[in-house]
């Protein structure tokens, strides 16, 4: 099964990696020391004992059966800090050579506003059932809420955290199986992730084959203090992510949809959305859990602002409201179009909301109002090490 640049993995039934074939290049030179895609498997650890000798030495620098260096996803996933590599822009196809999947101009999206209680297994089983239900309703892309496998709160993160890199994640196993069995793209909300001695608020994304294709760790931690209303500090237990996350569905047999992923508080930072627009995104997805103070004030305003700013579709997906919880979520999961119109909205209760996204709307809005061509880069600009500086290239 070809999963990474010029390489092929062969996996046996018990989850052992039995062969790694490189096509002309070694793993390290092809990926700068980091595997960019791998398969989520039920086995706790990968085994390299039966790898071809020529490839095993290179592969051991990335995978190890005795350490926490298992790499998963389309970005460079590791326990160490990877080098910053610019995210590639969308591939441009010559006229007449556009793959059939990229000619699709609609995407049916389902957002699952789930009840998330103290029973972790019940939360996971409920999510799996709702994913199946959404797929039966015709969904092609399914989005889950923030912290869907646990209550939301700093005192819960360590208890509910899972070591995905070590292969010890019942939540990821469910997500992979649900995506594969239902044949949907899946944005797996978020859940607490353990990596060494650090905890992260992490979203994993899967394609229709159940392959884990991306990971986003919450970049901006939710540290606020509104006197008399709410005080919350994620930084007491969580570490921040190190970069933006872009997922191109057309690279996995889907329509020409390029998603920029954020988690909850990430939506308040317009610069991140601007980076996603610069990277060719036309859909912004934010699993989130605003509360009863910030939700009524800013939830709808922020997603519509991000959509109008970037002329993209947008999704905010919340847990259902539980008045008995320590942290009470606002709910009101919402899908918004590039003009800022609401395509679907839930109330506070558990629900599935669906919408058909007309992808041609993005082209229409960006053509009618070409904001990106009118920006004054001589006065202001947004730069990032993850965005290639095209102006520095020689013509």
């Amino acid at each position: 099964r070809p999963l990474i640049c010029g390489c092929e993995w062969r996996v046996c039934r018990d989850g052992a990696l039995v062969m790694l074939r490189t096509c002309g290049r070694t793993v390290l030179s092809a990926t700068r020391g980091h595997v960019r895609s791998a398969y989520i498997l039920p086995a706790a650890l990968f085994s390299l004992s039966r790898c071809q000798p020529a490839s095993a030495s290179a592969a051991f620098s990335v995978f190890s059966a005795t350490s926490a260096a298992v790499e998963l996803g389309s970005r460079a996933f590791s326990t160490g800090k990877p080098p910053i590599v610019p995210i590639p822009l969308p591939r441009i196809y010559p006229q007449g050579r556009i793959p059939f999947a990229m000619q699709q101009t609609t995407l049916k999206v389902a957002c699952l506003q789930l009840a998330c209680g103290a029973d972790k297994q019940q939360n996971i089983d409920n999510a799996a059932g709702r994913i199946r239900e959404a797929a039966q309703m015709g969904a092609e892309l399914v989005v889950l809420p923030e912290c869907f496998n646990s209550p939301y709160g700093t005192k819960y993160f360590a208890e509910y955290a899972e070591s995905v890199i070590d292969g010890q994640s019942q939540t990821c196993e469910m997500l992979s199986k649900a995506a594969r069995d239902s044949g949907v793209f899946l944005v797996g909300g978020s859940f607490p992730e353990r990596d060494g001695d650090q905890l992260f608020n992490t979203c994993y994304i899967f394609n229709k084959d159940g392959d884990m294709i991306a990971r986003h760790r919450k970049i901006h931690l939710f540290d606020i203090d509104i006197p008399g209303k709410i005080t919350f500090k994620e930084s007491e237990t969580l570490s921040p992510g190190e970069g933006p996350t872009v997922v191109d569905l057309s690279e996995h047999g889907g329509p020409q949809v390029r998603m920029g992923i954020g988690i909850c508080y990430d939506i308040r930072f317009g610069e991140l959305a601007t980076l996603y627009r610069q990277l060719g995104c036309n859909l912004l997805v934010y699993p989130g859990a605003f509360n009863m103070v910030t939700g009524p004030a800013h939830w709808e305003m922020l997603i519509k602002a991000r959509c109008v700013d970037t002329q993209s579709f947008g999704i905010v997906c919340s847990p259902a409201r539980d008045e008995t919880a320590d942290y009470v979520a606002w709910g009101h999961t919402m899908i918004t179009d590039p003009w800022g119109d609401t395509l679907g909205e839930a109330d506070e209760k558990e629900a599935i909301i669906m919408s058909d996204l007309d992808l041609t709307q993005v082209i229409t809005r960006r053509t009618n109002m070409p904001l990106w061509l009118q920006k004054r880069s001589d006065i202001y600009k947004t730069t990032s090490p993850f965005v290639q500086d095209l102006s520095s290239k020689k013509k």
Side-chain angles (χ1 to χ4, degrees):
R1 182 184 193 86
L3 289 174
I4 60 175
C5 45
C7 301
E8 179 180 339
W9 304 92
R10 293 290 174 85
V11 182
C12 66
R13 289 180 180 272
D14 64 1
L17 183 66
V18 297
M19 187 181 81
L20 171 63
R21 185 180 68 195
T22 59
C23 301
R25 293 183 294 179
T26 66
V27 172
L28 295 182
S29 65
T31 64
R32 302 192 184 189
H34 295 271
V35 168
R36 294 190 175 274
S37 186
Y39 198 72
I40 179 67
L41 296 166
L45 290 173
F46 290 98
S47 168
L48 287 169
S49 59
R50 295 189 293 278
C51 275
Q52 291 181 332
S55 302
S57 60
F60 258 106
S61 298
V62 183
F63 282 93
S64 173
T66 58
S67 73
V70 177
E71 310 262 355
L72 298 171
S74 62
R75 296 297 308 282
F77 294 179
S78 70
T79 52
K81 186 174 181 179
I84 294 178
V85 179
I87 297 172
L89 294 172
R91 185 180 303 171
I92 298 176
Y93 291 86
Q95 187 174 3
R97 293 188 179 181
I98 299 176
F100 177 76
M102 296 180 67
Q103 299 174 23
Q104 181 180 337
T105 59
T106 62
L107 178 70
K108 184 178 284 292
V109 174
C111 298
L112 312 186
Q113 184 163 290
L114 303 175
C116 307
D119 188 327
K120 182 177 183 179
Q121 190 59 55
Q122 182 177 330
N123 293 337
I124 293 173
D125 292 343
N126 181 44
R130 291 292 186 163
I131 293 169
R132 286 194 299 272
E133 186 178 345
Q136 290 167 0
M137 296 166 66
E140 299 169 276
L141 170 67
V142 178
V143 181
L144 274 59
E146 183 182 21
C147 280
F148 75 91
N149 77 347
S150 70
Y152 184 75
T154 55
K155 68 180 182 181
Y156 299 109
F157 293 148
E159 177 186 353
Y160 286 79
E162 297 179 0
S163 298
V164 178
I165 287 179
D166 289 340
Q168 300 170 5
S169 175
Q170 63 186 115
T171 302
C172 268
E173 288 182 19
M174 179 280 291
L175 292 172
S176 175
K177 185 177 186 301
R180 181 176 65 252
D181 292 349
S182 299
V184 296
F185 291 103
L186 182 59
V187 177
S190 80
F191 60 89
E193 178 203 11
R194 186 182 302 279
D195 187 353
D197 59 357
Q198 292 181 298
L199 298 178
F200 297 91
N201 189 346
T202 304
C203 172
Y204 282 93
I205 298 92
F206 299 81
N207 66 16
K208 294 182 177 183
D209 294 324
D211 298 329
M212 182 186 289
I213 57 175
R215 177 188 70 192
H216 179 78
R217 287 172 169 171
K218 190 173 188 177
I219 298 173
H220 306 93
L221 298 183
F222 183 50
D223 286 7
I224 67 167
D225 183 9
I226 304 176
K229 293 186 176 181
I230 183 173
T231 298
F232 198 98
K233 295 190 181 299
E234 278 189 324
S235 62
E236 291 177 348
T237 54
L238 298 180
S239 298
E242 295 180 339
T245 306
V246 170
V247 184
D248 196 326
L249 299 188
S250 69
E251 295 178 357
H252 301 275
Q256 199 164 7
V257 172
R258 195 167 169 93
M259 298 189 297
I261 308 295
I263 298 176
C264 200
Y265 205 50
D266 286 341
I267 198 174
R268 289 188 177 272
F269 299 86
E271 295 87 349
L272 179 60
T274 298
L275 289 183
Y276 284 145
R277 170 66 198 270
Q278 289 177 333
L279 290 166
C281 293
N282 54 5
L283 172 61
L284 306 177
V285 181
Y286 298 94
F290 275 34
N291 54 66
M292 298 299 292
V293 175
T294 59
H298 300 147
W299 177 258
E300 180 176 354
M301 180 192 305
L302 283 169
I303 187 57
K304 291 191 172 183
R306 298 292 85 84
C307 289
V308 172
D309 286 347
T310 63
Q311 298 171 303
S312 305
F313 287 98
I315 292 172
V316 278
C317 190
S318 169
R321 189 181 306 171
D322 179 0
E323 299 284 358
T324 67
D326 297 341
Y327 182 97
V328 182
W330 169 240
H332 291 273
T333 291
M334 183 176 292
I335 305 171
T336 307
D337 73 10
W339 195 245
D341 290 334
T342 301
L343 301 180
E345 181 181 2
D347 54 20
E348 76 281 4
K349 299 182 289 293
E350 191 170 55
I352 298 177
I353 64 168
M354 301 191 67
S355 179
D356 288 295
L357 307 188
D358 178 4
L359 304 177
T360 63
Q361 246 200 84
V362 174
I363 299 172
T364 300
R365 298 303 182 189
R366 293 179 180 182
T367 301
N368 292 349
M369 195 178 292
L371 302 181
W372 248 246
L373 299 178
Q374 298 165 341
K375 283 183 175 288
R376 292 291 304 276
S377 59
D378 58 322
I379 300 175
Y380 55 84
K381 64 170 62 177
T382 301
T383 60
S384 166
F386 292 94
V387 179
Q388 187 176 6
D389 186 0
L390 300 177
S391 63
S392 63
K393 284 193 168 185
K394 294 182 179 180
K395 294 185 179 179

